[in-house]
Amino acid sequence: DADVTQTPRNRITKTGKRIMLECSQTKGHDRMYWYRQDPGLGLRLIYYSFDVKDINKGEISDGYSVSRQAQAKFSLSLESAIPNQTALYFCATSDLGGAGELFFGEGSRLTVL
Amino acid sequence: GIQVEQSPPDLILQEGANSTLRCNFSDSVNNLQWFHQNPWGQLINLFYIPSGTKQNGRLSATTVATERYSLLYISSSQTTDSGVYFCAVEYNTNAGKSTFGDGTTLTVKP
């Protein structure tokens, strides 16, 4: 099993719908991240959390919210999805006490019609 | 602002050829990673290399932190090396958050 698991892996939805992407990890890492990837571009940071009580906005947080339910779980919500949120979403973890190396889930491909 | 520049943006090779990918960064870094994104979209960790040189099989990487660049070398390329290679940098001034370059798309032809 993967150390960082994302669900769903693929989702097609309609404009205005609420969508939640979930991430769970078995690495025991403190830090968790949500990134977005658009075609031809690198990953951009949406939100990050350094521990359960710490939530921070990244560079493109508008239109998104997150919840850190436990050390191992970090979910990303789109309250009212719009077509330009169509993208590949990645969850990642890193260890606070370590060297900051990022480990990624397999990605969640979201299409908003 | 924080910048990570990768070059070349695209690279096409014949199987068996060697290549060098470059990552330039604009400030002092805490860490630097290289990733390979395969055609299925998965991100695979290649190297964690804030400084120095590392090798893993046909791949090696060198980071010269004082000159603010990192190089990824791929020798004897194979078709399975195709995909996008990303450099991600965590700057000292932005601890805990990594900034990605736009990647180099590598196509290895049989």
Side-chain angles (χ1 to χ4, degrees):
Chain A
D1 289 341
D3 293 328
V4 183
T5 304
Q6 293 183 227
T7 56
R9 295 289 312 282
N10 290 283
R11 183 70 180 268
I12 300 174
T13 191
K14 295 182 178 180
T15 297
K17 294 291 187 181
R18 183 179 188 273
I19 294 296
M20 179 181 287
L21 306 179
E22 297 183 324
C23 178
S24 63
Q25 52 116 345
T26 58
K27 298 186 76 67
H29 288 171
D30 300 297
R31 298 178 174 185
M32 297 188 74
Y33 306 80
W34 277 103
Y35 282 88
R36 166 180 172 159
Q37 184 183 23
D38 294 284
L41 297 179
L43 280 68
R44 292 181 292 167
L45 184 62
I46 307 172
Y47 270 96
Y48 61 102
S49 169
F50 285 174
D51 64 44
V52 175
K53 296 182 180 180
D54 177 79
I55 301 289
N56 303 281
K57 293 182 177 181
E59 58 181 309
I60 55 164
S61 60
D62 288 349
Y64 301 95
S65 63
V66 291
S67 175
R68 185 81 182 267
Q69 299 95 328
Q71 187 204 31
K73 296 184 182 294
F74 192 38
S75 60
L76 175 72
S77 294
L78 289 67
E79 296 301 326
S80 180
I82 56 177
N84 75 2
Q85 291 178 312
T86 294
L88 183 57
Y89 291 85
F90 285 99
C91 175
T93 73
S94 70
D95 188 0
L96 177 63
E101 185 175 2
L102 285 171
F103 296 88
F104 282 89
E106 295 185 331
S108 296
R109 192 171 298 277
L110 177 65
T111 302
V112 183
L113 301 177
Chain B
I2 295 172
Q3 294 182 4
V4 180
E5 296 180 352
Q6 293 188 240
S7 60
D10 300 281
L11 186 58
I12 300 174
L13 299 175
Q14 208 65 35
E15 198 169 26
N18 302 328
S19 60
T20 301
L21 283 59
R22 187 177 181 101
C23 172
N24 290 335
F25 44 94
S26 57
D27 206 343
S28 301
V29 299
N30 289 333
N31 66 58
L32 185 147
Q33 288 184 254
W34 283 97
F35 295 90
H36 174 215
Q37 186 170 38
N38 65 23
W40 296 271
Q42 295 174 323
L43 285 164
I44 300 164
N45 291 37
L46 296 178
F47 293 101
Y48 170 84
I49 186 165
S51 64
T53 298
K54 292 185 177 180
Q55 182 158 4
N56 184 2
R58 296 181 295 104
L59 274 61
S60 64
T62 295
T63 297
V64 184
T66 53
E67 297 186 21
R68 299 181 181 170
Y69 72 88
S70 183
L71 301 174
L72 177 68
Y73 304 96
I74 304 173
S75 63
S76 303
S77 58
Q78 301 175 358
T79 56
T80 52
D81 294 330
S82 296
V84 185
Y85 290 80
F86 289 106
C87 167
V89 170
E90 180 187 311
Y91 287 101
N92 291 347
T93 54
N94 209 24
K97 297 178 290 182
S98 290
T99 299
F100 280 74
D102 286 341
T104 292
T105 300
L106 174 65
T107 302
V108 180
K109 295 187 173 183

